[in-house]
Amino acid sequence: MLATIATAVLALLGVLLGALLSDRSQRRSLTHADRMAERRAREDAYIGYLSAYRQFRRFVQQESADVEIKEFGDGSLGVPVIGGGSDYWTRVEDALARLELLKPSAQVHEAAEAIRSAFWDFARARAALGHSRLPTDDLVTLRQAEQDFIRAVQEELANNRGINSKGTPP
């Protein structure tokens, strides 16, 4: 009788241990899946932001793009008004909203702001030069800002979010 009770208790302990081990494994899998979903959301938002600005830059680079500066009279830099660019502005604003909702690292945020600033400088220079030439220095600065953004994003995704470059926990 004592042997039967001991066998039953050992069987229950085995079931309990198995359940605990299974639960732990499932939690790790869910945590990893959550991290991967967050990484994908970040990648999508960062790609969307960069892509929206690159498409807008290419549009402004076209000889046919009509770019003017709207002055405010308060001594601040004028705002570029880009004819036919409303769809591009919408894409940029949508991408910026997605990026801001994710609360990126300070480096990614600064790099995103550098793209915005360089784009405005490029558009202002394009307006000043008219249809005749492209503002080469401003274009180089804008492209460099794009590359800096890419590097900041790669660093955040690889290091700051607990996921290595292969997409697995370290």
Side-chain angles (χ1 to χ4, degrees):
M1 167 105 168
L2 191 57
T4 307
I5 293 173
T7 303
V9 168
L10 284 176
L12 285 174
L13 287 175
V15 168
L16 248 148
L17 182 62
L20 289 173
L21 290 174
S22 176
D23 181 60
R24 182 175 180 217
S25 175
Q26 284 181 331
R27 285 180 194 221
R28 289 180 111 186
S29 293
L30 288 174
T31 299
H32 177 69
D34 288 345
R35 285 183 180 172
M36 291 306 298
E38 180 184 347
R39 179 184 172 98
R40 277 187 224 96
R42 287 185 177 281
E43 286 174 345
D44 289 347
Y46 297 156
I47 289 167
Y49 183 79
L50 181 61
S51 177
Y53 265 112
R54 281 183 168 174
Q55 290 172 28
F56 205 179
R57 171 181 48 84
R58 288 185 186 110
F59 174 74
V60 173
Q61 280 179 249
Q62 295 176 16
E63 199 171 303
S64 62
D66 185 28
V67 184
E68 298 175 1
I69 299 293
K70 179 178 180 177
E71 301 291 341
F72 292 109
D74 62 359
S76 63
L77 291 173
V79 175
V81 177
I82 302 166
S86 64
D87 287 343
Y88 294 98
W89 277 125
T90 299
R91 287 185 212 135
V92 165
E93 289 298 321
D94 287 349
L96 177 61
R98 287 178 45 208
L99 184 135
E100 289 174 341
L101 285 173
L102 292 173
K103 297 182 181 177
S105 67
Q107 294 84 1
V108 170
H109 185 269
E110 290 168 13
E113 182 61 26
I115 288 177
R116 188 202 59 77
S117 179
F119 179 82
W120 283 87
D121 291 344
F122 171 72
R124 283 186 196 99
R126 173 69 168 73
L129 292 173
H131 295 287
S132 60
R133 328 183 323 226
L134 282 176
T136 307
D137 292 342
D138 292 296
L139 181 58
V140 168
T141 300
L142 178 52
R143 286 183 174 165
Q144 183 60 52
E146 292 170 358
Q147 292 304 310
D148 293 345
F149 178 78
I150 291 168
R151 278 190 289 284
V153 165
Q154 288 171 335
E155 184 177 319
E156 177 184 287
L157 292 175
N159 300 323
N160 298 341
R161 298 294 175 198
I163 298 172
N164 65 27
S165 61
K166 294 179 183 172
T168 58

